[in-house]
Amino acid sequence: DTVRVARLADAFIRDTLVVCERCEHEALSIVFAPPDSEVYFRAVAPAVALVPQAGGDLGARMAAATARAFDGGATRVVVIGTDTPHLTPERIDEAFAALAAADCVLGPAYDGGYYLVGLTQPRPELFQGIAWGTASVLAETLEAAVGLRVTRLAEERDIDERVDLDWLAGQLRAAPDRCPHTLAVLDEFDGGALAP
């Protein structure tokens, strides 16, 4: 039901923030939507910069978010979503490190998309004309990145469907310190009726 899905989404956000706060970065921002969710994000992350999402499709929103970070003085920007709360700080640090020699870093997801994108300068072309939400997202992004130095990280699973949620539950029960908020919700509902 929607209450359980909302609880799980909240847990994903909280665990993702824990991971990000353990990374070796200079600044952390939450790019949020809708506008009236600012109160929620301020309560969850009182010390983190909050940036309203731009309009448009996912690509337009990511292009705007990265451009704004670079306009603010960033020299390396890494973007992740909240559907991979199991990412480790080491994986995100690996992305930042890769940007010392690459123009772009991508973390491929098993479903054909990507769970992470990192840049050394604005690259709006990487976010245009992409069939978001399909199995061709990574391939289309790599095609748009022809001529750039691109580093690919190890594949990871993002949590989109019930089978992914079941996989995550198994991972977290084997390593309960990894995503404590998510595991608490999964245990509370015993993994039932939580998939988006």
Side-chain angles (χ1 to χ4, degrees), residues 123-173:
R123 297 282 181 186
E125 68 275 16
L126 297 183
F127 304 108
Q128 296 169 351
I130 307 295
W132 300 107
T134 70
S136 64
V137 168
L138 179 66
E140 291 175 6
T141 303
L142 288 168
E143 187 175 326
V146 168
L148 300 181
R149 296 169 300 165
V150 179
T151 295
R152 290 171 69 164
L153 304 178
E155 276 192 321
E156 295 277 0
R157 192 171 195 154
D158 53 8
I159 309 303
D160 294 324
E161 311 219 3
R162 180 56 196 240
V163 65
D164 303 318
L165 190 62
D166 292 341
W167 171 86
L168 180 62
Q171 296 293 306
L172 299 186
R173 289 188 175 116

Side-chain angles (χ1 to χ4, degrees), residues 2 35 58 64 90 131 139 167 188:
T2 56
L58 178 60
E90 291 77 17
W167 171 86
E188 180 179 344

